[in-house]
């Protein structure tokens, strides 16, 4: 069986979901036997590749770059997974949603023309931080802030063996 | 003018480097951009003080404990309490666990691919799984050392990432005897791994001579907390600045009055602000924080093995400050060792099992500052509340931010040295990133902070010349 091509992506999140993936600890070695990391912030490939089997996405869609990338990733990945509460519901980054974008940026940078107001050297902030399913079809939702490593493993391991993951009850808890 | 755009990976966050070339093909300018912002300073307003530790922990999943503890300290100041001694010891224990896990992540998971596989290795294998294939023992050591730090956090806080454990006035759970014994049982292996990693670094140092020379080697100030006797500190103490010769520039500064000596500039091309030492102005007041700064600032570590290593570290610069940012890696490994020794000390202190872990109080001050040393450097949380404890204003200066000026300088230095003519090699690209990676920037943390800061906006023409410049002071 060829190795499963797995990608991980980081949008507007705190990286805690990625850290929880690394909390697989020794299970990472087992992961490496059956899967390869095709794209990830912890690896060096810069372009999202064409033939990805599973992509785990952390974070909400917060700016124009995330939006563009998400649409592209959806075309290239067979299974798209919302990893963690920010990706599933918007969670912490969406706490800014009731406020106008301009007000948030001006408050953070205490200036009239802060970065992110317009498309420039840094991407423009979207009016609201969105959960992934507001933009594209999501195949699996893996809640938690972050989802504990055991839950991530319970989800990933069957995929490594070509099986369908089954999550239920306490595995679907937020927070 | 030609511009390269390089997305930076294997750092904790979203970053971009741009290198601006002149007509002659030489480096005109190099910049490190941070491209993500979430807006904590604004959306925390109107929430209660009691929510702040757990909420601000979500700034960063790599060092959530830093924000948790720093926030709790700012809240302590607003309650105007001195937390029970055992609570302080427990907070220290958790912070040391976090230093171990975060430094292990930086060295083994993120940077060892460069150090082991080389700067010119195939990008497809240049990651932690490439290290697994190349040197399984080292990879496994890294995984286990990081896991050790994470387990301390889990045993204390019930969760590895985002435990809601530190609270205004102390912590909400003591340490059980069983928990203490579990940590103690794993300590010998962690100490063995830390010593092996340090020997690995010291043995290979000579082969990285060129990188050591050009990955951000320049004079600058260094800032960190130090203890009352000038020893290494991570939780309390006062602020010290030293210069490149390791002469003390300022000492015993009150951390809660940081605004008197730290200014912050903003540039339109990065979401990350640029702090500087006010007496020297912007950008001359560049300083570095984090492991390298802490070792340069302190007189001694205060534990046996780390102090022996510190002597060897000092010898690298003949007793002056170590100004090569590459040696952040070196400093990090020494700190892991020392943190483990301090964990050992705390575990043998009977008070660590005390159940007196929280002081109860209401709102007694309308403003409070929390400061401590996060793995990446000094972290500041500053809150203003109303009489009922509702947040009115928030200012955060995150560890990585302090290094912003130095990181930009580093990028330029590397580009100047390795960019020859117009050929852009994989080795150059990776060295640019490697230079940034040495600082272990946590970009997740980096995208906040506010306050009345001086602003500098520079407008560049098509050829990169400055056509307008506007500065707004405080
Ligand atoms: S779900 Fe929680 S852990 Fe994951 S990115 Fe969001 S805030 Fe961080």
């Amino acid at each position: 069986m060829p190795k499963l091509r797995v990608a991980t992506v980081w949008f507007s999140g705190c990286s805690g979901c990625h850290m929880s993936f690394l909390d697989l600890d020794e299970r990472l070695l087992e992961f490496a036997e059956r899967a390869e990391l095709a794209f990830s912030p912890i690896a060096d490939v810069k372009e999202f590749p064409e033939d990805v089997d599973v992509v785990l996405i952390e974070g909400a869609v917060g700016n124009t770059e995330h939006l563009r990338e998400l649409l592209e990733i959806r075309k290239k990945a067979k299974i798209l997974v919302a990893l963690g509460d920010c990706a599933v519901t918007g969670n912490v980054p969406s706490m800014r949603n009731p406020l106008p974008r301009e007000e948030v940026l001006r408050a953070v940078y205490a200036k009239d023309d802060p970065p992110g107001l317009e498309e420039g050297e840094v991407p423009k902030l979207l009016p609201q931080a969105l959960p992934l399913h507001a933009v594209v079809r999501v195949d699996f939702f893996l809640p938690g802030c972050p989802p504990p490593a055991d839950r991530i493993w319970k989800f990933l391991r069957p995929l490594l063996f070509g099986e369908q993951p089954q999550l239920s009850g306490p595995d679907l808890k937020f927070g | 003018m030609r511009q390269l755009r390089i997305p930076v990976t294997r750092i904790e966050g979203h970053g971009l480097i741009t290198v601006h070339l002149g007509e002659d093909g030489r480096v005109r300018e190099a910049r490190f951009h941070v491209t993500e912002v979430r807006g904590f300073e604004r959306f925390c307003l109107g929430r209660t003080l009691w929510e702040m530790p757990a909420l601000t922990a979500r700034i960063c999943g790599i060092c959530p404990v830093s924000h948790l503890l720093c926030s709790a300290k700012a809240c302590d100041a607003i309650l105007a309490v001195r937390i029970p001694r055992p609570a302080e010891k427990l907070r220290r224990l958790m912070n040391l666990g976090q230093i171990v896990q975060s430094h292990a992540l930086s060295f083994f998971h993120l940077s060892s691919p460069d150090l082991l596989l080389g700067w010119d290795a195939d990008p497809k294998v240049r990651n932690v799984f490439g290290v697994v294939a190349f040197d399984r023992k080292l990879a496994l050591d890294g995984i286990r050392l990081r896991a050790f730090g994470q387990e301390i956090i889990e045993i204390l806080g019930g969760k590895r990432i985002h435990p809601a454990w530190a609270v205004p006035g102390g912590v909400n759970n003591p340490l059980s005897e069983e928990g203490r014994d579990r940590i103690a049982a794993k300590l010998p292996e962690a100490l063995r791994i830390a010593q092996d990693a340090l020997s690995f670094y010291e043995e290979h140092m000579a082969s990285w001579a060129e990188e050591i020379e050009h990955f951000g080697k320049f004079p600058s100030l260094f800032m960190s907390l130090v203890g009352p006797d000038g020893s290494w500190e991570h939780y309390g103490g006062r602020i010290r600045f030293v210069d490149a010769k390791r002469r003390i520039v300022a000492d015993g500064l009150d951390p809660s009055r940081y605004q008197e000596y730290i200014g912050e500039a903003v540039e339109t091309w990065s979401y990350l602000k640029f702090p500087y030492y006010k007496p020297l102005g912007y950008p001359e007041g560049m300083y570095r924080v984090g492991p390298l700064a802490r070792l340069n600032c302190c007189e001694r570590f205060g534990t046996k093995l780390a102090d022996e290593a510190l002597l060897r570290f000092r010898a690298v610069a003949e007793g002056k400050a170590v100004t090569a940012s590459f040696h952040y890696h070196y400093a990090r490994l020494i700190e892991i060792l020392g943190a483990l020794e301090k964990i050992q000390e705390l575990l043998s202190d009977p008070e660590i099992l005390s159940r007196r872990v929280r002081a109860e109080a209401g709102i007694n001050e309308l403003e409070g500052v929390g400061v401590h040393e996060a793995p990446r450097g000094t972290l500041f949380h500053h809150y203003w509340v109303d009489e009922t404890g509702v947040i009115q204003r928030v200012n955060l200066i995150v560890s990585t931010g302090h290094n912003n000026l130095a990181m930009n300088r580093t990028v330029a230095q590397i580009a100047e040295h390795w960019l020859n003519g117009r050929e852009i090699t994989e080795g150059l690209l990776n060295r640019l990133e490697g230079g940034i990676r040495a600082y272990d920037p946590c970009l997740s943390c980096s995208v906040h902070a506010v306050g009345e800061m001086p602003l500098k906006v520079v407008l560049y023409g098509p050829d990169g010349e400055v056509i307008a410049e506007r500065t707004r002071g405080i």
Side-chain angles (χ1 to χ4, degrees):
Chain A
M1 195 172 134
K3 283 192 170 185
L4 192 74
R5 286 174 55 77
V6 178
T8 75
V9 172
W10 180 358
F11 289 157
S12 200
C14 76
S15 78
C17 292
H18 270 84
M19 293 304 113
S20 201
F21 171 74
L22 290 180
D23 281 340
L24 288 174
D25 296 342
E26 278 97 335
R27 289 169 291 195
L28 287 171
L29 301 182
E30 200 180 328
F31 172 85
E33 273 160 29
R34 300 201 152 255
E36 62 177 313
L37 204 56
F39 179 88
S40 169
I42 62 160
D44 265 355
V45 174
K46 308 291 183 196
E47 287 281 316
F48 196 87
E50 291 293 336
D51 44 351
V52 164
D53 295 310
V54 184
V55 59
L56 306 168
I57 302 181
E58 170 194 315
V61 184
N63 64 39
T64 51
E65 196 171 281
H66 301 152
L67 193 62
R68 188 177 48 73
E69 285 173 5
L70 181 57
L71 293 169
E72 191 189 318
I73 289 167
R74 180 64 274 185
K75 280 190 226 139
K76 291 178 171 176
K78 294 193 194 91
I79 299 175
L80 189 149
V81 185
L83 176 69
D85 291 350
C86 293
V88 175
T89 69
N91 197 32
V92 175
S94 69
M95 287 172 73
R96 71 169 168 86
N97 287 1
L99 306 159
R101 190 170 55 103
E102 295 73 18
E103 194 191 320
V104 174
L105 288 170
R106 288 192 180 120
V108 170
Y109 293 97
K111 64 187 282 196
D112 290 340
D113 53 344
L117 214 49
E118 292 306 328
E119 208 63 54
E121 296 208 63
V122 293
K124 184 170 164 179
L125 207 63
L126 292 176
Q128 306 205 304
L130 303 168
L132 304 186
H133 68 269
V135 181
V136 295
R137 178 173 53 82
V138 172
D139 300 301
F140 289 96
F141 295 91
L142 210 53
C145 181
D150 287 348
R151 190 179 299 170
I152 297 179
W153 192 233
K154 202 162 164 189
F155 173 79
L156 270 183
R157 199 165 176 278
L159 288 176
L160 297 180
F161 290 90
E163 292 158 20
Q164 275 285 70
Q166 302 287 345
L167 293 183
S168 60
D171 294 326
L172 297 174
K173 252 180 72 198
F174 289 107
Chain B
M1 187 168 80
R2 194 146 155 242
Q3 206 196 69
L4 307 175
R5 289 169 69 87
I6 307 162
V8 187
T9 46
R10 276 191 288 132
I11 56 170
E12 296 96 359
H14 308 68
L16 179 74
I17 294 171
T18 56
V19 179
H20 305 251
L21 302 181
E23 297 304 333
D24 56 357
R26 296 201 47 193
V27 176
R28 163 128 1 132
E29 192 173 25
R31 287 169 172 177
F32 172 57
H33 311 249
V34 171
T35 59
E36 163 75 20
V37 63
R38 274 169 291 157
F40 273 84
E41 293 85 348
R42 180 61 189 82
F43 67 62
C44 285
L45 307 189
R47 310 199 73 96
T48 77
L49 186 72
W50 311 97
E51 288 181 273
M52 290 302 276
L55 182 57
T56 55
R58 264 72 181 182
I59 288 172
C60 177
I62 299 149
C63 54
V65 167
S66 304
H67 291 284
L68 183 77
L69 295 181
C70 198
S71 176
K73 285 179 85 175
C75 295
D76 299 342
I78 288 174
L79 305 191
V81 294
R82 181 183 63 74
I83 70 169
R85 247 192 348 254
E88 182 182 324
K89 288 180 180 170
L90 287 168
R91 284 187 185 176
R92 283 177 175 270
L93 181 59
M94 187 182 265
N95 199 37
L96 291 165
Q98 138 132 314
I99 288 174
V100 171
Q101 71 84 8
S102 172
H103 282 1
L105 172 78
S106 167
F107 185 77
F108 291 95
H109 297 65
L110 303 176
S111 288
S112 77
D114 300 330
L115 306 181
L116 275 177
L117 310 176
W119 306 95
D120 303 290
D122 179 357
K124 284 210 181 68
V125 300
R126 224 170 38 210
N127 60 54
V128 66
F129 295 109
V131 176
V132 171
F134 184 83
D135 186 341
R136 203 179 163 88
K137 175 183 167 289
L138 186 112
L140 195 60
D141 272 1
I143 286 171
R144 294 190 62 85
L145 187 61
R146 175 173 176 276
F148 176 72
Q150 290 287 74
E151 279 164 22
I152 293 179
I153 296 169
E154 187 176 20
I155 286 168
L156 286 168
K159 218 174 153 197
R160 281 179 165 211
I161 297 162
H162 302 328
W165 171 77
V167 288
V171 303
N172 64 15
N173 262 315
L175 174 63
S176 69
E177 205 171 323
E178 186 254 321
R180 180 195 59 189
D181 296 346
R182 265 167 63 204
I183 302 172
K186 294 199 171 164
L187 194 58
E189 187 195 31
L191 276 163
R192 196 271 302 156
I193 296 172
Q195 284 169 293
D196 282 0
L198 190 57
S199 310
F200 166 85
Y201 187 90
E202 288 175 338
E203 279 158 24
H204 287 76
M205 220 154 72
S207 65
W208 304 314
E210 197 179 358
E211 283 76 20
I212 290 172
E213 200 51 37
H214 299 281
F215 276 26
K217 188 175 180 195
F218 44 77
S220 77
L221 300 177
F222 296 91
M223 176 186 89
S224 83
L225 290 170
V226 293
D229 59 349
S231 59
W232 185 88
E233 180 53 89
H234 65 108
Y235 180 84
R238 288 183 162 243
I239 299 274
R240 173 180 283 181
F241 281 88
V242 300
D243 66 12
K245 297 203 162 118
R246 258 190 95 237
R247 286 181 308 216
I248 293 174
V249 172
D251 203 11
L253 298 177
D254 179 353
S256 68
R257 299 170 68 169
Y258 68 95
Q259 286 177 325
E260 289 172 13
Y261 46 87
I262 295 175
E264 289 185 282
V266 175
E267 302 277 7
T268 46
W269 47 268
S270 180
Y271 274 131
L272 184 56
K273 287 184 255 191
F274 295 81
Y276 59 93
Y277 179 59
K278 268 190 184 168
L280 293 186
Y282 178 78
E284 283 69 32
M286 170 175 67
Y287 60 89
R288 285 177 267 189
V289 300
L292 189 70
R294 286 191 289 259
L295 293 195
N296 280 334
C297 284
C298 75
E299 319 289 349
R300 71 193 73 79
F301 205 94
T303 60
K304 185 173 167 293
L305 297 174
D307 271 329
E308 285 167 17
L310 186 59
L311 285 180
R312 301 195 296 274
F313 174 85
R314 293 254 195 271
V316 164
E318 288 146 5
K320 300 200 184 82
V322 175
T323 57
S325 283
F326 191 91
H327 284 312
Y328 265 100
H329 295 303
Y330 196 2
R332 216 167 269 132
L333 292 172
I334 295 172
E335 284 199 333
I336 292 179
L337 188 59
L340 292 170
E341 291 179 287
K342 285 190 184 272
I343 289 169
Q344 199 162 31
E345 278 171 16
L346 280 169
L347 292 182
S348 54
D349 181 340
E351 214 172 47
I352 203 78
L353 298 179
S354 165
R355 307 189 70 79
R356 292 193 181 281
V357 294
R358 184 167 185 184
E360 302 278 351
I363 306 302
N364 293 306
E365 296 277 1
L366 297 182
E367 190 182 340
V369 178
V371 181
H372 90 149
E373 288 288 334
R376 291 162 189 80
T378 324
L379 174 65
F380 297 80
H381 278 218
H382 190 173
Y383 309 152
W384 290 258
V385 296
D386 69 8
E387 298 289 342
T388 59
V390 171
I391 299 285
Q392 305 297 306
R393 206 177 131 198
V394 171
N395 191 23
L396 310 169
I397 305 185
V398 295
S399 320
T400 296
H402 301 286
N403 283 336
N404 203 0
L405 281 169
M407 287 191 290
N408 276 280
R409 178 84 177 265
T410 299
V411 165
Q413 195 177 58
I414 293 170
E416 274 157 28
H417 185 73
W418 272 283
L419 186 75
N420 267 325
R422 299 199 152 248
E423 210 201 327
I424 302 147
T425 59
E426 183 64 30
L428 166 70
L429 299 193
N430 199 38
R431 280 184 181 83
L432 282 170
E433 291 187 66
I436 290 294
R437 215 173 278 134
Y439 292 86
D440 188 24
C442 180
L443 304 187
S444 198
C445 286
S446 307
V447 284
H448 327 90
V450 61
E452 299 111 49
M453 67 201 74
L455 302 169
K456 188 172 172 223
V457 188
V458 186
L459 196 63
Y460 290 96
D463 289 316
E465 81 275 27
V466 177
I467 42 181
E469 196 175 306
R470 212 185 64 191
T471 308
R472 196 185 81 199
I474 290 186

